[in-house]
Amino acid sequence: MTVSAELAEISQWWRTQWSATRSGPMPAARGPRPFRIAGSANDQTTRDGVDNPYWQFVRQLPSVDAGLDGVAADGFARGLPVGHHLLTMRYSWAIPSPGDIGWLADLLGHRGLVEIGAGSGYWAWQARQAGIDVLAYEPSDPADNGYSDGVEYLATLRGDHTAAGRHPDRAMLLCWPSQGDPWAALALAAYAGDLLVYIGEGPGGRCADDGFFELLGRHWTPAGASPHHVSWSRTRCTMTAYRRTT
Ligand SMILES: C[S@@+](CC[C@H](N)C(=O)[O-])C[C@H]1O[C@@H](n2cnc3c(N)ncnc32)[C@H](O)[C@@H]1O
């Protein structure tokens, strides 16, 4: 099924929702919950020529106000034809909004980026479309990676956490490192650079292990977070920059 056909299914789902709950015109933007990001104050514009199908889906999904954290996409709504699991497996475990990618480009300036554990390469693909010089490493062949559907959006280099040690000149990106697995801590220990961008949940959450957050607390300090990041509902995902202190 094509992306436009799936988007049409989501539109149809909205029509069903609205007619099932009340009469009158369907709200185009923020209003009664849940609301669509598309057309609301939380919407983000994709630059001309940039392809970000993940965001095209997310902005059409039901979303909920996440209080101080802004907005969260609800991919679990009953009967939703395209939801959280499908999109995380197809694209990435975290949502790269256009604002996130702009924030990342501003943070990096002319500096390059190395992503470790890149999965489908979706974030790296978005970074490259923003003009960022990015290398993405992933130890699994796309067809064998149980964390994704097997589609690659940017050709990833075959390599594990040890690749982090080869790129001290680049900032390092980690997005949803595997839960309970030491590889993120090992990547952080191997990395000799001074700028980390971490996307995922915090200590005790569903990313990395305690060793990773211990290292982060000991040798790194937060240096800003993307104010544009949209988390999935039921998760506490943030996109945060850290600078090395020691
Ligand atoms: C939860 S997935 C996240 C993938 C991707 N960053 C995303 O957000 O879609 C974790 C990824 O870590 C990769 N991984 C597993 N062991 C690794 C290791 N030793 N070094 C680097 N990456 C590893 C997995 O193959 C998988 O692609």
Side-chain angles (χ1 to χ4, degrees), residues 92-93 116-119 138-140 145 147 160-161 175-176 178 183:
S92 163
W93 284 48
I116 308 294
E138 166 56 49
S140 298
N145 193 343
Y147 293 96
D160 64 7
H161 54 273
C175 178
W176 278 77
S178 330
W183 77 252

Side-chain angles (χ1 to χ4, degrees), residues 147-168:
Y147 293 96
S148 74
D149 275 356
V151 174
E152 259 196 332
Y153 295 90
L154 184 116
T156 55
L157 301 164
R158 240 8 98 239
D160 64 7
H161 54 273
T162 56
R166 298 199 287 275
H167 300 285

Side-chain angles (χ1 to χ4, degrees), residues 116-225:
I116 308 294
S120 71
Y122 194 90
W123 274 85
W125 179 47
Q126 293 305 309
R128 186 163 291 178
Q129 290 186 73
I132 297 169
D133 170 14
V134 57
L135 296 176
Y137 287 92
E138 166 56 49
S140 298
D141 282 327
D144 299 332
N145 193 343
Y147 293 96
S148 74
D149 275 356
V151 174
E152 259 196 332
Y153 295 90
L154 184 116
T156 55
L157 301 164
R158 240 8 98 239
D160 64 7
H161 54 273
T162 56
R166 298 199 287 275
H167 300 285
D169 48 327
R170 295 172 180 265
M172 180 166 76
L173 174 68
L174 299 178
C175 178
W176 278 77
S178 330
Q179 182 179 10
D181 192 307
W183 77 252
L186 293 170
L188 195 56
Y191 176 60
D194 61 2
L195 181 58
L196 167 73
V197 178
Y198 171 73
I199 304 162
E201 294 192 320
R206 286 164 289 181
C207 299
D209 65 353
D210 292 346
F212 172 76
F213 291 103
E214 276 162 28
L215 271 184
L216 199 57
R218 202 174 318 141
H219 300 296
W220 298 80
T221 190

